[in-house]
Amino acid sequence: MVGVLVTSRVLLVNATGSDAGIEFAGRHSDIVFITSPAGGDIESALSSLPAHTARVKQSAIANGREVRTLLNPLIVVRETEKEAEEYAQAIIGMVDYQSIAGRSGVSSDAHAWRGHQKGNLRHGVGSAIGSNVQLIGSPEQITEQLLQLNKAGVDGFQLAFYDFEPDLDFFGKRVLPLLKQAGLRV
């Protein structure tokens, strides 16, 4: 089976950004959900993820193990960059401030989100768009962003979409073939 992990043991998956969590992942986990430590925009993610993913993977190597990292980006993709930007702006324009205030007001010691700005409706903690990292653009731009994140040490993605059914359908038709061409999919 190509692309399928077959194992006779239970895989341990966790999400972390703290020193203790990374140490635990290095000793025990097979897959580690990571976040961009510097912010939700692609530039901040790309600047911070190489060191972060290396740190997570080095923790496993120090324990004679290997881990794979996963990131959970929210994808805003349309046929053109202009259309994707308009869609992202429309999402922000429909923001539910009460809901965001509730999410942003939660007291947390989560290390993974410390580099994210509060109050930034596009890329911040409790943003209108959502998720830890937002990828916004045309199918070609989204493919390039996923390639760059992979080169930054991200082994896989758990994708999220704002309006899941139509956005997933568009992604499947327009982006997945490009990911296959780029060698990110088999």
Side-chain angles (χ1 to χ4, degrees), residues 41-139:
D41 61 286
I42 187 66
E43 294 81 13
S44 295
L46 290 172
S47 72
S48 64
L49 280 169
H52 186 59
T53 57
R55 182 172 166 232
V56 170
K57 292 176 182 187
Q58 184 56 46
S59 177
I61 291 168
N63 286 284
R65 305 186 67 257
E66 181 181 339
V67 296
R68 295 194 178 269
T69 57
L70 293 181
L71 186 71
N72 178 231
L74 189 133
I75 309 259
V76 175
V77 61
R78 289 293 183 268
E79 201 58 55
T80 66
E81 179 181 13
K82 181 178 187 285
E83 290 171 321
E85 289 293 338
E86 289 171 352
Y87 183 41
Q89 202 53 48
I91 294 167
I92 293 168
M94 297 182 295
V95 67
D96 177 354
Y97 287 99
Q98 187 174 6
S99 176
I100 286 177
R103 288 193 317 255
S104 298
V106 174
S107 177
S108 171
D109 70 344
H111 293 250
W113 291 82
R114 287 193 173 162
H116 292 252
Q117 303 169 342
K118 287 190 175 188
N120 181 327
L121 292 177
R122 186 175 175 120
H123 299 295
V125 173
S127 72
I129 294 176
S131 195
N132 174 259
V133 174
Q134 299 82 33
L135 307 181
I136 301 169
S138 68

Side-chain angles (χ1 to χ4, degrees), residues 13 23-24 34 46 56 59 62 73 76 79 87-88 106 118 123 128 136 147 152 157-158 160 164 166 170 178-180:
V13 180
E23 182 182 330
F24 177 89
I34 58 167
L46 290 172
V56 170
S59 177
V76 175
E79 201 58 55
Y87 183 41
V106 174
K118 287 190 175 188
H123 299 295
I136 301 169
L147 273 167
F157 303 97
Q158 178 186 346
F164 211 91
F170 185 82
L178 297 174
L179 292 176
K180 286 180 182 177

Side-chain angles (χ1 to χ4, degrees), residues 130-182:
S131 195
N132 174 259
V133 174
Q134 299 82 33
L135 307 181
I136 301 169
S138 68
E140 295 78 13
Q141 289 171 310
I142 297 301
T143 300
E144 180 58 30
Q145 291 171 7
L146 290 169
L147 273 167
Q148 290 175 327
L149 288 166
N150 180 251
K151 289 176 184 171
V154 178
D155 297 310
F157 303 97
Q158 178 186 346
L159 303 178
F161 302 94
Y162 184 76
D163 190 359
F164 211 91
E165 188 175 355
D167 292 353
L168 176 63
D169 184 61
F170 185 82
F171 182 90
K173 289 176 181 170
R174 291 289 290 119
V175 181
L176 272 181
L178 297 174
L179 292 176
K180 286 180 182 177
Q181 277 182 324

